[in-house]
Amino acid sequence: MRRINSLDGLRTLAVLLVFVGHVDQRALPGGYIGVEVFFIISGYLITSLLLRENAHTGTIKLRHFYIRRMLRLWPALLLFVVVVTPIAVHDRIGQPVPDGLAALFYVTDFWGNVGDHFSLMLHTWSLAVEEQFYLVWPALLAIALRRGWRRGRLAGGLAVVAVLAIFVTYCTTRTSVPMTQFLPNAHVAELVSGVLLALALDRGRGLPAALRPVTGETAALAGLVGLIVFEVAVPARWWAWPLAVVAAWPVVAHLVVDHDGAIARLFARRELVWLGRRSYGFYLWHYAIVELLLRSADPLAAGVLGFVLTLVMCSLSYAFWELPFLRLKDRFAGVHVAEPDDVPAPRAAVKA
């Protein structure tokens, strides 16, 4: 189960988009696009790995899955909260203890709406959305596979759910974007689009002919251009998140099915892969660092210094704190199934 290095490189692009957006949202209002890319990747990777486990073992061991996820995600988050909470208390930023508890228990997306205040941990809303996806989707997939549901039936049901979620988001946000943009319904389409890609590539059937035009190099290049346009010109609106899927999905799909093309080689560059494998820690630390710097520095200075400090923190966290827990995943889970962080290639990747 080898890694798709280009997906790690895409993670780097995604987290840098988020970083730039948080440094100066007025100049670059579309930084949220990076989060949408992460959601698509997560939907694909989680589903493909669960499908592979079911194919190899005949079942999905949910307890093992949750243990592996906890060992991958929670230690870094705990370290972040332990470091940032005293700083927030000292500077009287937000409600530090409730904010930290909300982050640790993955409910910041809801707490952000209830508390309605600025916090150094507000960005953990996206981690909450992903964790809630991890909590619900594997169980539903296990039930569907146990009952022998066909992939087409499952994909159709998910598409309906995505459309309903978009409608609910429209009703709750309309033309303005209050804190409800953090709620899970606003990002179901992104997660489902990744799930649908995994279902399309399941069981080694190769890429369906209908998908080949939208996963080719031309479509991926157009998607990258679309991501740049979103970054520069499109602020967060209820309609922006589904459109972000239209731009980002062909890029993710292309990298999954074509490992040797020019775009894949670009994203597989060593420096991009290096940061992509540490993108979780980078995302965790960047927001608090940037916001603290912006209190006394202009955006340019805050961006440059914040980037350096974030690199230092995520590198130290990965090397001395996260890696020991990553090595424990298989021992405590009792199975040898690759995790999303291992980014396995699909069993039958077919060039578009």
Side-chain angles (χ1 to χ4, degrees):
M1 292 187 183
R2 65 184 181 88
R3 299 181 70 101
I4 303 177
N5 286 331
S6 55
L7 279 186
D8 282 320
L10 184 60
R11 282 172 162 166
T12 294
L13 173 62
V15 80
L16 291 180
L17 289 177
V18 175
F19 178 85
V20 172
H22 283 152
V23 170
D24 193 348
Q25 189 175 19
R26 292 173 298 178
L28 295 172
Y32 64 91
I33 289 294
V35 176
E36 314 311 314
V37 174
F38 274 112
F39 285 150
I40 297 172
I41 293 175
S42 292
Y44 165 72
L45 292 174
I46 285 292
T47 306
S48 62
L49 291 166
L50 291 173
L51 290 172
R52 181 169 297 165
E53 179 182 0
N54 183 75
H56 284 202
T57 67
T59 187
I60 294 176
K61 297 182 179 180
L62 295 176
R63 182 171 62 88
H64 293 165
F65 170 80
Y66 294 128
I67 290 174
R68 293 193 302 270
R69 287 289 78 203
M70 182 187 70
L71 289 172
R72 173 62 187 101
L73 300 175
W74 209 72
L77 178 60
L78 176 63
L79 176 64
F80 168 75
V81 171
V82 167
V83 171
V84 170
T85 297
I87 298 174
V89 170
H90 179 269
D91 291 353
R92 298 180 180 179
I93 301 174
Q95 301 178 36
V97 174
D99 293 341
L101 291 175
L104 289 174
F105 288 97
Y106 297 105
V107 291
T108 301
D109 50 347
F110 295 105
W111 170 242
N113 285 277
V114 174
D116 193 19
H117 62 275
F118 174 75
S119 164
L120 294 178
M121 292 171 263
L122 187 60
H123 65 306
T124 61
W125 70 267
S126 64
L127 307 181
V129 170
E130 286 212 39
E131 194 65 26
Q132 290 153 18
F133 168 71
Y134 297 154
L135 183 64
V136 174
W137 171 238
L140 292 178
L141 180 60
I143 293 172
L145 294 175
R146 193 176 301 122
R147 294 186 176 182
W149 287 14
R150 293 189 176 185
R151 300 302 190 270
R153 178 184 178 185
L154 187 57
L158 289 169
V160 171
V161 169
V163 171
L164 290 175
I166 292 172
F167 177 73
V168 171
T169 303
Y170 163 73
C171 293
T172 54
T173 61
R174 303 299 293 268
T175 56
S176 63
V177 184
M179 301 287 275
T180 50
Q181 66 177 302
F182 297 152
L183 294 178
N185 59 273
H187 307 284
V188 168
E190 297 92 294
L191 292 163
V192 165
S193 69
V195 171
L196 294 178
L197 177 61
L199 292 174
L201 293 171
D202 185 32
R203 290 189 174 179
R205 296 168 179 165
L207 186 67
L211 290 181
R212 293 182 184 182
V214 294
T215 60
E217 199 162 63
T218 301
L221 182 60
L224 287 173
V225 172
L227 291 178
I228 295 173
V229 171
F230 268 89
E231 170 73 14
V232 173
V234 182
R237 294 291 185 269
W238 72 268
W239 45 266
W241 301 307
L243 285 182
V245 176
V246 176
W249 192 90
V251 182
V252 176
H254 176 70
L255 295 180
V256 168
V257 301
D258 186 353
H259 307 150
D260 302 317
I263 295 177
R265 293 196 301 271
L266 172 64
F267 281 109
R269 292 182 63 86
R270 182 178 302 177
E271 57 273 17
L272 296 180
V273 173
W274 183 89
L275 182 54
R277 295 184 182 183
R278 293 158 180 80
S279 58
Y280 174 57
F282 190 97
Y283 181 83
L284 273 177
W285 290 101
H286 88 279
Y287 185 73
I289 290 173
V290 166
E291 289 296 337
L292 288 170
L293 290 173
L294 285 173
R295 294 162 71 90
S296 58
D298 62 85
L300 179 60
V304 173
L305 182 56
F307 182 77
V308 173
L309 291 176
T310 302
L311 274 183
V312 170
M313 292 302 298
C314 77
S315 298
L316 292 175
S317 172
Y318 186 81
F320 298 107
W321 180 248
E322 297 173 53
L323 277 180
F325 290 97
L326 293 177
R327 297 188 184 106
L328 290 175
K329 284 196 304 181
D330 282 346
R331 180 186 305 175
F332 280 85
V335 293
H336 297 280
V337 178
E339 280 298 279
D341 315 285
D342 301 322
V343 195
R347 292 199 294 158
V350 178
K351 290 185 180 181

